[in-house]
Amino acid sequence: ADDCANDQGGGIAAGQSDAERAEISRGLLGSPAQMPPKYLYDTLGSKLFESLCLLPEYYPTRTEAAIFRAHRHDIARAAGPGAVLVDLGAGNCAKAESLFGVLAPRHYVAVDISADFLRDALDRLQSCHPDIRMTALGQDFSQGLHLPQEVPADNRLFFYPGSSLGNFGPDDAHRFLSGLRQSGGRQASLLLGVDLVKEPEVLNAAYDDALGLTAAFNLNLLRNLNRLLKADFDVRDWTHVAFFNEQKSRIEMHLQARRAVLVRWPGSSRRFAEGERIHTESSYKYTRASLAALLESAGWQPTDFWTDPAGWFAVVHART
Ligand code: AVI
């Protein structure tokens, strides 16, 4: 087990609880074993994710940024001036900040599970943009968004970039978007970045890169589970597997046992046969039609759809 707890803290570790340990244990004992992808993001996992966004194979980050650059004025026209910009999963707030110039929001609400990180980012941002009112919210909004009274109820623009919606399964994506619709108040709109279906070779390379960064990102989950659950995974017993499941229109990431292994943690254990897998993440890929259908079923009317020349990624604006 990893006894280096202080090196690897932050993120999920801060909220470590009996409920989380029970959730992890349930996931490991499932058939097949599976793990909520949030456990990929301890401190090292978040750094690995940031790094893999720079890979030539991982096109979503740079493609989305190019769409924002190319269509910033159209995006601003669709959103209208003076919005209350609610940034979901704001992180370092850089993506939203890149749109401040054209969006001119009157209030910026940054929401992220990591409140400390957010407060630092917002302090810096506030000094650069003193005219925009700012609120930081440390919340796991995937289970429902709670906006305090100080956030005006009109003209809210929810910003959810990075294809994070893709990490929800279809039912959860519908629930999430319907929930946003309900927290929207009057005249809400949505600016969403979503990854699109494309040739499987491109998708497979993006999630199984030559340098092995995505493999390290996936395998690091086991170190995090050792720390959170006091499990005794040996990372060397496992290998990264990622592929596009065309039928389900999703990339699947798994960890596959290289040999038969016994994994133990306080109160339980599980044997994995050679080749057996733990499903660690799904990343759903949409078409223009499937995305529109999802939005409409959740009470949103898509108004604009911007894409890159290759049609690999989309930024969508929708209204209530
Ligand atoms: C955060 N999320 C949108 C990424 C994705 O593409 O699904 C996570 C990721 N997993 C492997 N590479 C990137």
Side-chain angles (χ1 to χ4, degrees):
D2 186 354
D3 56 3
C4 226
N6 291 337
D7 292 341
Q8 282 295 292
I12 281 298
Q16 186 179 348
S17 66
D18 288 350
E20 277 172 351
R21 278 190 288 272
E23 179 179 55
I24 295 169
S25 187
R26 249 192 336 272
L28 289 177
L29 294 171
S31 297
Q34 53 192 306
M35 204 43 60
K38 66 182 176 187
Y39 294 110
L40 290 163
Y41 298 92
D42 65 346
T43 304
L44 180 57
S46 301
K47 296 266 181 219
L48 287 166
F49 174 66
E50 240 176 82
S51 307
L52 71 85
C53 287
L54 303 173
L55 289 168
E57 294 97 324
Y58 194 74
Y59 59 84
T61 312
R62 64 169 188 279
T63 310
E64 182 184 55
I67 298 172
F68 282 141
R69 265 196 310 276
H71 297 283
R72 57 210 304 269
H73 295 292
D74 304 322
I75 291 171
R77 251 192 305 278
V84 176
L85 181 61
V86 183
D87 189 356
L88 302 168
N92 63 8
C93 309
K95 284 187 188 177
E97 189 186 10
S98 73
L99 292 172
F100 276 7
V102 286
L103 284 182
R106 74 175 194 279
H107 194 134
Y108 173 61
V109 185
V111 194
D112 204 285
I113 197 161
S114 168
D116 293 343
F117 187 64
L118 201 58
R119 225 159 272 125
D120 291 348
L122 223 64
D123 285 348
R124 184 194 60 78
L125 211 60
Q126 184 75 80
S127 61
C128 302
H129 304 274
D131 298 337
I132 305 175
R133 179 133 191 246
M134 297 193 182
T135 303
L137 293 179
Q139 250 180 51
D140 178 6
F141 58 86
S142 64
Q143 305 301 319
L145 178 67
H146 304 284
L147 294 174
Q149 284 217 320
E150 70 180 70
V151 177
D154 66 307
N155 205 7
R156 286 180 179 162
L157 170 62
F158 295 110
F159 182 52
Y160 198 39
S163 200
S164 298
L165 185 75
N167 296 131
F168 287 116
D171 292 348
D172 288 340
H174 179 269
R175 210 169 299 126
F176 175 72
L177 291 170
S178 304
L180 277 191
R181 166 82 181 78
Q182 261 137 43
S183 344
R186 294 181 295 279
Q187 304 158 22
S189 61
L190 181 63
L191 190 60
L192 203 58
V194 177
D195 199 13
L196 299 176
V197 174
K198 59 188 64 62
E199 299 76 45
E201 300 72 43
V202 177
L203 287 166
N204 289 333
Y207 290 83
D208 194 7
D209 62 276
L211 265 185
L213 277 187
T214 313
F217 171 66
N218 195 10
L219 286 161
N220 177 62
L221 173 76
L222 300 178
R223 302 182 71 239
N224 198 24
L225 298 188
N226 284 348
R227 192 172 53 84
L228 292 172
L229 190 62
K230 298 201 176 2
D232 65 352
F233 279 102
D234 184 339
V235 173
R236 279 167 296 217
D237 288 339
W238 298 84
T239 190
H240 166 70
V241 175
F243 56 87
F244 184 53
N245 178 334
E246 275 192 74
Q247 219 192 349
K248 297 197 164 156
S249 197
R250 69 185 192 193
I251 282 281
E252 292 181 16
M253 280 206 326
H254 301 262
L255 290 164
Q256 180 169 310
R258 291 178 186 271
R259 59 180 188 85
V261 285
L262 171 66
V263 181
R264 285 170 295 207
W265 62 94
S268 199
S269 65
R270 170 153 186 179
R271 282 183 196 287
F272 289 89
E274 182 183 341
E276 208 173 337
R277 291 172 178 173
I278 306 171
H279 188 168
T280 54
E281 187 187 59
S282 293
S283 191
Y284 283 80
K285 308 301 169 189
Y286 288 90
T287 61
R288 184 176 182 151
S290 68
L291 185 61
L294 171 65
L295 284 166
E296 280 162 20
S297 73
W300 293 95
Q301 289 311 314
T303 61
D304 299 271
F305 184 93
W306 300 282
T307 187
D308 53 292
W312 281 6
F313 199 93
V315 172
V316 181
H317 179 260
R319 295 200 160 285
T320 54

